[in-house]
Amino acid sequence: MTGPRYTPLAQSLPATVPFVGPETQERQRGAAFIARLGANESVFGPSPRAIRAMEQAASDIWMYADPENHDLRHALAEYHGVTPENIVVGEGIDGLLGYLVRLIVGPGDSVVTSDGAYPTFNYHVAGFGGVLHKVPYAGDHEDPAALFAKAAEVGAKLVYLANPDNPIGSWHSGADIVAAMDALPDGCLLILDEAYVECAPEGTAAPVSADDPRVIRMRTFSKVYGMAGARVGYAMGAPDLIAAFNKVRNHFGMNRAAQAGALAALQDGAWLEHIQTQIAEARERIGTIARENGLEPLPSATNFVAIDCGRDGDFAKAVLEALVARGLFVRMPFAAPQNRCIRVSCGDTADLDAFAVALPKALAEVRSNTA
Ligand SMILES: Cc1ncc(COP(=O)(O)O)c(C=O)c1O
């Protein structure tokens, strides 16, 4: 009896996952976290209108969801002033990144990203046998000019850029991104991941036509809209590219309650503004707590703040572990020199009170161990 005959590619892949979830950590610790500030979710929750729509959809859950996501796609098209043919809806940006990589990347194909950028993209590239080229950040910003120059050098089919960025929270103006796109090599598609753009200053969204064949933009209901567990994202791009997703996507992958919730969330502009204010206030408070403890918060256009712990990655990791030991779920960047930081998601007052109590204790413990 032999086991399943995995492809050589599957055999070559590591058994690791891009992120260990907080639930896994809670099981390992034998205790729940007191503040969940590690995954850039929105503790402020979805619009009450979205909750009502999802509750109403619950009794219809025996039906598969509309595989065309018709109503949500049309509403998104109207919202953005584009056509429904410019929009594909999928299981979060993570799901859409997987489909896109499957469409474009085969074994040995070159792809470019920043060293330390959002790792789920890298995971998909590895899964389809692509070769990932990584470009360093410029200071604490992803570097569009360097990314596009590297793409030209290695003949990349895809280049990934998150604006605003995760894990640092830095951003470029949309106009700067568009200007940099002049250097995108022919035949290379830019994935512009705008997961956090609703938290960013006016002018951060790239002013590109949805029909521009050089770029696909990705958005999500997981962040400002507070629906990470519903798994709804969408991509905007040229109609041919958007239509190609139909060849590979999981047509019945969407949850019908999530479709209804996203539609209602999109229509609740007042809630969006309310959350944008909550996020801005929480960012301020995280910054204040960091400074009170002698640490430097980095400017953020997202729903989290990266805090420079002032030393190396080992020190930041020890601070992170000391916070986790005190019941705070936080994460940190993977790559140097950004791994001198810990990354704290915006929380409500109780969450940030808990952070304000735990941080000085965590720092005192780590400083006494490393003195
Ligand atoms: C830059 C970036 N892109 C995508 C995602 C995932 O989005 P989704 O929940 O829509 O899959 C995240 C989540 O943290 C992110 O930081």
Side-chain angles (χ1 to χ4, degrees), residues 204-343:
T204 305
V208 283
S209 159
D211 291 327
D212 189 327
R214 299 172 301 167
V215 59
I216 184 164
R217 276 174 295 162
M218 302 226 172
R219 302 276 181 100
T220 182
F221 284 87
S222 299
K223 305 300 174 187
V224 169
Y225 290 101
M227 294 179 52
R231 311 307 301 128
V232 191
Y234 60 101
M236 283 187 285
D240 286 354
L241 173 60
I242 294 302
F245 279 79
N246 285 329
K247 298 180 182 180
V248 297
R249 75 186 174 93
N250 179 4
H251 288 263
F252 291 94
M254 298 301 296
N255 175 320
R256 66 185 293 130
Q259 286 174 331
L263 186 59
L266 190 69
Q267 289 157 353
D268 193 350
W271 183 259
L272 181 70
E273 275 179 35
H274 166 64
I275 297 303
Q276 286 166 328
T277 307
Q278 301 281 108
I279 287 171
E281 286 173 8
R283 279 195 310 233
E284 276 300 309
R285 171 116 200 261
I286 295 169
T288 304
I289 296 168
R291 282 193 205 94
E292 281 167 359
N293 286 278
L295 309 181
E296 189 54 34
L298 301 187
S300 168
T302 62
N303 67 350
F304 61 85
V305 178
I307 299 176
D308 185 342
C309 293
R311 292 173 54 179
D312 61 4
D314 289 343
F315 181 79
K317 186 155 185 287
V319 174
L320 178 125
E321 282 168 0
L323 287 169
V324 168
R326 285 171 174 76
L328 275 95
F329 168 52
V330 288
R331 285 199 175 124
M332 65 182 286
F334 299 103
Q338 281 74 32
N339 66 355
R340 69 188 192 285
C341 301
I342 56 169
R343 194 197 66 186

Side-chain angles (χ1 to χ4, degrees), residues 19 38-41 90-97 117-121 142 160-167 193-196 218-223 227-229 231-234 302-304 331 343:
F19 288 111
N40 307 336
E41 299 151 326
E91 303 89 336
I93 292 180
D94 285 358
L96 290 163
L97 285 172
Y118 187 60
T120 304
F121 175 66
E142 292 195 44
Y160 174 87
L161 170 63
N163 189 51
D165 155 75
N166 176 14
D193 182 338
E194 296 182 329
Y196 298 98
M218 302 226 172
R219 302 276 181 100
T220 182
F221 284 87
S222 299
K223 305 300 174 187
M227 294 179 52
R231 311 307 301 128
V232 191
Y234 60 101
T302 62
N303 67 350
F304 61 85
R331 285 199 175 124
R343 194 197 66 186

Side-chain angles (χ1 to χ4, degrees), residues 15-289:
T16 50
V17 295
F19 288 111
V20 178
E23 292 80 5
T24 308
Q25 293 183 47
E26 287 176 329
R27 284 189 288 273
Q28 284 163 355
R29 306 172 64 234
F33 284 116
I34 53 174
R36 183 164 163 132
L37 301 174
N40 307 336
E41 299 151 326
S42 185
V43 297
F44 311 111
S47 145
R49 284 164 64 171
I51 294 175
R52 259 197 314 280
M54 289 189 276
E55 281 169 356
Q56 277 163 12
S59 52
D60 291 334
I61 212 78
W62 58 273
M63 287 185 266
Y64 290 108
D66 169 16
E68 293 182 16
N69 297 294
H70 176 279
D71 295 353
L72 181 55
R73 231 164 20 90
H74 282 248
L76 285 165
E78 198 182 319
Y79 184 82
H80 288 290
V82 301
T83 71
E85 288 69 37
N86 290 118
I87 293 187
V88 56
V89 167
E91 303 89 336
I93 292 180
D94 285 358
L96 290 163
L97 285 172
Y99 295 140
L100 182 63
V101 172
R102 180 171 170 197
L103 282 170
I104 309 262
V105 177
D109 286 341
S110 288
V111 169
V112 172
T113 188
S114 304
D115 190 15
Y118 187 60
T120 304
F121 175 66
N122 305 2
Y123 166 81
H124 288 308
V125 170
F128 290 101
V131 178
L132 203 59
H133 300 266
K134 294 182 181 174
V135 169
Y137 278 54
D140 287 321
H141 286 75
E142 292 195 44
D143 185 346
L147 284 164
F148 303 162
K150 176 61 85 177
E153 179 194 323
V154 301
K157 294 172 94 175
L158 285 178
V159 56
Y160 174 87
L161 170 63
N163 189 51
D165 155 75
N166 176 14
I168 292 300
S170 57
W171 69 103
H172 296 279
S173 76
D176 285 352
I177 302 267
V178 171
M181 280 172 59
D182 285 347
L184 257 181
D186 253 7
C188 177
L189 179 69
L190 168 62
I191 308 171
L192 192 53
D193 182 338
E194 296 182 329
Y196 298 98
V197 81
E198 296 91 354
C199 315
E202 194 75 25
T204 305
V208 283
S209 159
D211 291 327
D212 189 327
R214 299 172 301 167
V215 59
I216 184 164
R217 276 174 295 162
M218 302 226 172
R219 302 276 181 100
T220 182
F221 284 87
S222 299
K223 305 300 174 187
V224 169
Y225 290 101
M227 294 179 52
R231 311 307 301 128
V232 191
Y234 60 101
M236 283 187 285
D240 286 354
L241 173 60
I242 294 302
F245 279 79
N246 285 329
K247 298 180 182 180
V248 297
R249 75 186 174 93
N250 179 4
H251 288 263
F252 291 94
M254 298 301 296
N255 175 320
R256 66 185 293 130
Q259 286 174 331
L263 186 59
L266 190 69
Q267 289 157 353
D268 193 350
W271 183 259
L272 181 70
E273 275 179 35
H274 166 64
I275 297 303
Q276 286 166 328
T277 307
Q278 301 281 108
I279 287 171
E281 286 173 8
R283 279 195 310 233
E284 276 300 309
R285 171 116 200 261
I286 295 169
T288 304
I289 296 168

